[in-house]
Amino acid sequence: MHNVRYKTFDQLSFADILVYSKLPDHPFWSHVEKKIDFSFADKLCSVLYTGRGQHPYAPSLKLKVHLIQAYYAMSDRQTEEKIIGDLFMKRFLELPVDFFGFDHSTIGLDRTRMGTAMFQACHLYVLAQMHHLGLWGEKNEQWIIDSFPIQVAMTRPGAYALIQRAMLRLFQVMKRSHHELFRLSERAVVHEAMLYRLPRTATKSDCMLAFSKLVAQAYGLLQWFQLEEVERLVQQWPNPDTQRSFAQLLAALKQILEENSRPALPDDAPPTSEDNKDAAVQYKKIPVKERPSNRIVNVTDVSARVGTKNKSTKIYGYKAQNLTTTNGVILDTKVIAATEHDREAMEGMVRNTQHFWGQSARELLGDSAYGHGKQREALDRLGVSIIAPVQETKNPTGLYDLREFTYNPSTDTFQCPSGQSTVKRHYSRANEGWQYRFPKVLCNSCVLKSECTASGNGRSVFRSQYQSHYEQARVYNASTWGVAEHKLRARIESKNKELKQDCGLGEVRTRSMETLTIKTRLAAIVVNLKYTIRRLLAPREGFVRRARIN
C-alpha cells in the first residue's frame, strides 16, 4: 500500500448545498449512501498508484461511477452524459453542481487499470458489509447455482477469412510493437495470400487452391518463428505484456489451422481451372460437421465460443455462472465459454467461497445440469449436498432400458426380465462406469429378444460408478422435503433476470472475457445493493417531494 493523495474537490458552495437540499431523496442512491461505506476502495486500490505526479481521482469515487454505469446498463459515453446532467448522480458522487471533469476515456481506462481481481475484491468488501448487517451467513444456509447466456456482438467468419485475420493480427502487433521483427518478416516470409480476396466469379477449384495456398503460407509463418534468429528477437520484445499477447496469437493461429484444415489426399479432385492447371492442392478445408464444437470462431476474442442452450437457442459468446443464497444474495459469479458445461465451474466456486468466508452451505440447489455424480462426489468431500434432479437415461431404440434389469450387489451382476444374469463386465473410462454383458447364445435364443435388443452379440447394460449417489438422490428428491427444496431453486431466476435485463448482461457490446468478468462482478454488486436496500429500508417507489405532516 502506497501513501497516495487523491484529488479533492473544493468545499461545496452555498449554491451547491441549496440545490442538493431541494432535491428529494433518490429511491436507491440516497439509501445506498447511508448503508454502504465505499471508502475501502481508497486503501484497496492504492497499490495501483505510485504516489507521485498528478493526484488521481479517489478510487471510491470511481467505483461509484462504475456502479452507476452497471445500474443503468450504460456505455462509457452514456455514463459521462448521465453524470454531467443528473443532479442525483452528482449528489451521490459528492461532486459540485458545475463539475464536468469525467469523460468516457477516464471510465474505460480506470476499468482496465483495476482489472478483474480488484473488482472481485470490491465485491467481497460489499459482501462483508452485508454479512455484518445480518443479510446472509446463517447456519445451515442453502445456496443456489445457475447459469444464463451472455450474447456478444461478434462476427463468425468462415475458415478462409478466419485464418487471414489471425495472420493479419500477428503482423499488426509486430508493426506496432517490434519494428525490427516486422521488417525482417516482410523480407523473409511469403504472405501475399493473407491479403488476397477471392473474386465473386471464383470457381470451386480457385477457392480450393486459394485456401491451400493460404494454409501453406500460415504454416510457413509459424515455422519461421521457430528459427533461432527470430526466436531471439521475440525474446527481446520491448514490452513483456505485448510479448505474452503475441505468444497467445501464435498459439491461436496454430489452433485455427488445426481445427479448420488438413492435408489433402492424393485422390482429391485436382483443380480444373486453365490458369491453375499445374497447381496442386496441398491442404483442404475440414467439413463444418467434422470440425471441433469447441473451436475458435473469432480472432478478436479467442475465448468466445458458439454453444447451445437448448434445441432452438444458440449462445454466441459466453455463459455466466451465478452462485446465490436462497435469500437472494449473490456470493460469486464466473464467466465461462459457451461450450463449457455448467457443472464444471460449480466445485471451484463453492470451494473458493468456503475458503474465503470460513463457512459453508448445508445444501446446494441446482437443475439437472449440476446433478452429475462426479460433482456430487466432489461436493460431498466439501460437506455440501447437491439437491438436483437426476437425469434418467432411456433406450433410444425404444427397447428395454436399464429399469427393466435388476442389479444384485452381492454378486455384482444384472438380471434380465427373462431371468438370465450377466457373465462379464469391463470398465469404461470415457463413460465412468462398467458395461455388463449377457451371454450371446442365451440372448439369441431368448423369447424376449425382439423386445430387448436387435444386436446379434447379446445385450449389455451400463452401471455408472456414481450409481449409489444417483439412487440416494432419487429417494431424497421423491420425499416431501426434496419436493419442497426443489421449489426453492426457482428463486435464482429473479436474480438472473436482474443481471441479464436490468444490468444489461443478456446482450453486451464487448467481446473480451476479462471485460465481461468485470461487468458481471459490477452487476453482482449492484444487485446485492438493491437487495440490501429492500431488506433494510423497504423504500417506496418514486420520490417523496414534501415531508409528511402528522
Side-chain angles (χ1 to χ4, degrees):
M1 190 174 80
H2 301 289
N3 185 20
V4 182
R5 289 185 59 189
Y6 298 113
K7 186 179 296 185
T8 58
F9 301 99
D10 295 333
Q11 186 177 3
L12 293 180
S13 66
F14 179 78
D16 295 330
I17 297 174
L18 180 62
V19 170
Y20 289 153
S21 64
K22 292 295 184 180
L23 283 179
D25 285 345
H26 191 275
F28 179 66
W29 298 113
S30 296
H31 299 305
V32 168
E33 191 175 9
K34 298 174 184 177
K35 292 298 180 181
I36 301 297
D37 180 16
F38 295 100
S39 62
F40 64 83
D42 294 339
K43 293 183 179 180
L44 177 68
C45 300
S46 63
V47 296
L48 303 176
Y49 306 96
T50 62
R52 299 187 300 270
Q54 187 177 4
H55 298 163
Y57 289 111
S60 56
L61 169 63
K62 291 186 283 190
L63 175 60
K64 290 180 180 180
V65 172
H66 293 304
L67 294 178
I68 290 172
Q69 182 180 21
Y71 183 87
Y72 294 105
M74 299 182 296
S75 66
D76 292 343
R77 290 183 181 272
Q78 290 171 333
T79 305
E80 176 189 353
E81 296 174 3
K82 183 77 171 177
I83 296 173
I84 290 175
D86 196 319
L87 291 176
F88 289 108
M89 298 302 100
K90 286 187 174 180
R91 185 175 65 180
F92 174 64
L93 297 174
E94 301 178 7
L95 299 175
V97 173
D98 59 351
F99 176 77
F100 303 134
F102 286 122
D103 58 34
H104 63 279
S105 60
T106 301
I107 300 172
L109 289 173
D110 182 69
R111 186 168 53 241
T112 303
R113 181 186 295 110
M114 289 185 65
T116 57
M118 283 297 181
F119 282 107
Q120 174 66 1
C122 293
H123 171 64
L124 295 175
Y125 267 96
V126 174
L127 271 179
Q129 296 187 52
M130 296 175 67
H131 188 280
H132 179 71
L133 295 170
L135 298 178
W136 72 281
E138 300 175 356
K139 187 177 181 180
N140 295 328
E141 194 173 46
Q142 293 174 305
W143 296 346
I144 316 174
I145 190 169
D146 197 15
S147 69
F148 60 87
I150 300 179
Q151 306 285 3
V152 300
M154 67 175 185
T155 59
R156 295 177 57 200
Y160 185 84
L162 189 65
I163 297 172
Q164 279 188 321
R165 295 180 185 182
M167 295 176 65
L168 187 61
R169 281 181 64 87
L170 285 173
F171 280 92
Q172 288 173 340
V173 172
M174 288 189 293
K175 184 176 182 180
R176 289 195 304 264
S177 305
H178 203 314
H179 302 293
E180 182 180 359
L181 185 62
F182 175 71
R183 289 192 295 268
L184 181 61
S185 65
E186 279 196 314
R187 295 194 303 267
V189 180
V190 180
H191 58 276
E192 69 272 6
M194 178 182 69
L195 302 174
Y196 178 71
R197 296 186 64 179
L198 286 168
R200 293 185 178 182
T201 57
T203 63
K204 182 179 179 180
S205 60
D206 294 334
C207 294
M208 292 174 61
L209 284 170
F211 181 80
S212 177
K213 184 178 181 180
L214 176 66
V215 174
Q217 292 185 6
Y219 275 117
L221 177 63
L222 292 176
Q223 190 68 28
W224 180 75
F225 279 108
Q226 297 180 7
L227 298 178
E228 182 178 352
E229 178 185 0
V230 179
E231 283 187 344
R232 187 178 69 256
L233 288 176
V234 173
Q235 294 299 325
Q236 297 172 356
W237 203 289
N239 190 328
D241 293 335
T242 310
Q243 183 183 13
R244 285 191 294 269
S245 301
F246 187 77
Q248 294 173 357
L249 289 175
L250 279 176
L253 175 59
K254 181 180 179 182
Q255 183 177 344
I256 290 171
L257 291 172
E258 293 173 349
E259 292 172 344
N260 294 275
S261 66
R262 62 188 176 197
L265 299 176
D267 56 350
D268 285 333
T272 57
S273 173
E274 186 65 24
D275 297 334
N276 300 311
K277 59 182 180 180
D278 296 329
V281 175
Q282 299 177 350
Y283 296 95
K284 66 176 184 179
K285 290 183 183 179
I286 298 177
V288 176
K289 293 184 178 180
E290 299 180 17
R291 298 174 192 173
S293 59
N294 194 37
R295 65 183 181 273
I296 296 175
V297 294
N298 188 279
V299 180
T300 306
D301 186 12
V302 296
S303 301
R305 296 291 186 270
V306 177
T308 56
K309 179 176 176 61
N310 48 50
K311 293 183 179 179
S312 60
T313 306
K314 283 188 173 292
I315 305 174
Y316 297 98
Y318 301 93
K319 294 184 289 186
Q321 294 282 356
N322 182 17
L323 179 65
T324 74
T325 67
T326 50
N327 291 332
V329 178
I330 298 179
L331 301 178
D332 194 12
T333 57
K334 184 177 182 180
V335 177
I336 60 176
T339 53
E340 182 178 331
H341 201 285
D342 290 346
R343 62 174 178 249
E344 299 299 328
M346 176 174 60
E347 180 189 357
M349 295 177 69
V350 173
R351 186 193 300 110
N352 292 340
T353 305
Q354 283 183 332
H355 177 75
F356 185 85
W357 296 106
Q359 60 186 56
S360 179
R362 174 171 54 92
E363 296 168 337
L364 180 66
L365 311 179
D367 56 25
S368 57
Y370 301 93
H372 190 267
K374 184 176 181 180
Q375 278 65 38
R376 291 179 183 272
E377 193 175 80
L379 261 68
D380 278 346
R381 293 193 292 267
L382 299 177
V384 180
S385 300
I386 297 181
I387 308 300
V390 178
Q391 291 184 344
E392 301 292 340
T393 57
K394 294 184 178 181
N395 194 333
T397 62
L399 304 177
Y400 288 159
D401 56 28
L402 186 61
R403 292 175 295 180
E404 306 293 335
F405 296 81
T406 304
Y407 178 71
N408 187 345
S410 60
T411 60
D412 192 19
T413 58
F414 276 94
Q415 189 178 54
C416 72
S418 65
Q420 302 296 331
S421 298
T422 54
V423 294
K424 60 180 179 179
R425 68 168 190 168
H426 71 275
Y427 181 76
S428 173
R429 187 181 299 273
N431 296 322
E432 297 180 307
W434 287 268
Q435 199 78 29
Y436 294 78
R437 183 166 294 280
F438 290 90
K440 178 174 64 174
V441 176
L442 296 178
C443 286
N444 290 334
S445 61
C446 180
V447 295
L448 300 177
K449 180 185 177 182
S450 60
E451 301 176 18
C452 182
T453 181
S455 173
N457 296 321
R459 176 63 190 266
S460 65
V461 292
F462 177 78
R463 178 179 173 84
S464 172
Q465 69 184 54
Y466 309 111
Q467 192 65 30
S468 60
H469 294 280
Y470 295 145
E471 293 172 356
Q472 294 175 6
R474 289 190 182 98
V475 173
Y476 185 83
N477 292 343
S479 65
T480 304
W481 286 104
V483 173
E485 289 181 337
H486 274 290
K487 294 180 180 179
L488 297 177
R489 196 205 69 81
R491 295 183 179 182
I492 199 173
E493 298 298 338
S494 62
K495 296 299 167 182
N496 289 345
K497 179 261 179 186
E498 288 187 73
L499 293 171
K500 288 173 56 180
Q501 300 182 16
D502 298 348
C503 297
L505 291 181
E507 294 184 3
V508 294
R509 302 179 180 91
T510 184
R511 293 186 296 269
S512 168
M513 177 180 278
E514 182 177 2
T515 305
L516 282 176
T517 301
I518 293 174
K519 289 182 177 291
T520 304
R521 287 172 179 170
L522 284 170
I525 296 175
V526 168
V527 173
N528 283 341
L529 292 177
K530 292 164 68 175
Y531 173 83
T532 301
I533 301 306
R534 285 196 300 266
R535 282 289 304 274
L536 298 181
L537 299 173
R540 296 187 178 185
E541 296 181 359
F543 300 98
V544 179
R545 293 173 176 81
R546 296 180 180 86
R548 291 189 179 88
I549 301 177
N550 295 328

